[in-house]
């Protein structure tokens, strides 16, 4: 039996520099079809980027190759912040209640050289399973326009379009999307 091409593990604080580089490459190369260069420039490090709180909370994962190359990342949160990096203008760090609130699916990025190989789906399933194990039955995210097709395929429903103001005067459209845990069961049944 062949070894899996990718393994997934919890991100560690020492992964931060590699994660910042992966995220920047992902945004700059994969999102050009959906956002202008000015939007991308304004969003990196604010609306889009690494939120080290997810690492500190032990809710951020990385996918890596056998040689340790980080090729994808993503996480979930039990805090109110829906999206954004350490440099986001607005953060809501208070904890949410799994009995009432939806877990926040956050910061899923794939390195462009490894796109279209199932990594986004792998990371999404990993973070959904972790949030579900923590008691959450609903999920929500602030999806980039680039991610909407994947998340729709995985059972997320589109909601409010949010126009995020950026420091350079641009605005970044982000689509709020939601999913119930029952969709996870259907996804798993379709795979088996």
């Amino acid at each position: 039996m062949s070894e899996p091409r990718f393994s997934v593990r919890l991100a560690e604080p020492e992964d931060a520099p590699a994660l910042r580089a992966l995220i920047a490459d992902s945004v700059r190369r994969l999102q050009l079809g959906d956002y202008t260069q000015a939007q991308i420039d304004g969003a990196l490090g604010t609306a889009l980027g690494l939120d080290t709180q997810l690492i500190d909370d032990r809710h951020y994962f990385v996918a890596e190759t056998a040689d340790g190359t980080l090729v994808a990342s993503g996480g979930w949160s039990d805090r109110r912040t829906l999206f954004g990096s350490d440099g986001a203008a607005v953060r809501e760090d208070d904890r949410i209640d799994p009995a009432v609130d939806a877990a926040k699916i956050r910061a899923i990025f794939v390195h462009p050289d490894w796109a279209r190989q199932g990594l986004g789906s792998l990371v999404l399933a990993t973070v959904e399973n972790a949030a579900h194990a923590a008691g959450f039955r609903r999920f929500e995210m602030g999806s980039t326009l680039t991610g909407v097709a994947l998340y729709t395929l995985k059972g997320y429903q589109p909601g409010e379009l949010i126009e995020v103001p950026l420091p350079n005067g641009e605005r970044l459209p982000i689509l709020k999307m939601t999913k119930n845990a029952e969709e996870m069961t259907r996804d798993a049944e379709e795979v088996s």
Side-chain angles (χ1 to χ4, degrees):
M1 185 148 110
S2 67
E3 290 205 20
R5 285 186 69 194
F6 310 107
S7 59
V8 178
R9 63 171 173 81
L10 279 170
E12 298 294 340
E14 56 269 17
D15 293 321
L19 284 166
R20 285 186 182 94
L22 179 151
I23 291 166
D25 284 345
S26 178
V27 171
R28 289 196 183 284
R29 291 174 50 197
L30 296 179
Q31 296 192 10
L32 270 175
D34 296 299
Y35 298 112
T36 67
Q37 189 64 55
Q39 288 172 312
I40 289 170
D41 291 343
L44 274 171
T46 59
L48 303 175
L50 182 61
D51 182 348
T52 54
Q53 183 69 59
L54 297 173
I55 296 173
D56 293 344
D57 287 345
R58 309 294 289 157
H59 295 168
Y60 203 60
F61 295 86
V62 295
E64 60 188 356
T65 61
D67 70 0
T69 302
L70 298 187
V71 292
S73 63
W76 69 279
S77 183
D78 59 355
R79 297 177 187 270
R80 292 213 180 278
T81 300
L82 185 61
F83 60 87
S85 71
D86 288 342
V90 177
R91 299 180 59 85
E92 299 176 84
D93 287 335
D94 53 310
R95 302 272 184 181
I96 56 177
D97 180 356
V100 178
D101 300 306
K104 310 307 184 220
I105 305 301
R106 305 270 317 274
I108 297 178
F109 296 98
V110 176
H111 191 283
D113 294 345
W114 297 89
R116 308 276 187 262
Q117 297 186 42
L119 285 163
S121 296
L122 174 65
V123 170
L124 179 62
T126 299
V127 301
E128 285 178 342
N129 288 334
H132 192 259
F136 286 92
R137 298 299 175 255
R138 294 182 307 117
F139 312 112
E140 68 179 358
M141 68 171 66
S143 175
T144 63
L145 300 180
T146 308
V148 169
L150 170 66
Y151 302 132
T152 300
L153 182 68
K154 298 300 178 181
Y156 283 81
Q157 300 298 313
E160 175 189 3
L161 184 67
I162 304 165
E163 293 281 337
V164 181
L166 302 173
N168 63 355
E170 296 288 325
R171 298 181 83 69
L172 187 78
I174 297 286
L175 186 63
K176 188 172 181 180
M177 300 187 80
T178 58
K179 178 178 177 177
N180 291 320
E182 296 83 48
E183 294 293 326
M184 288 175 54
T185 307
R186 281 187 232 135
D187 288 347
E189 290 169 356
E190 289 173 8
V191 171
S192 29

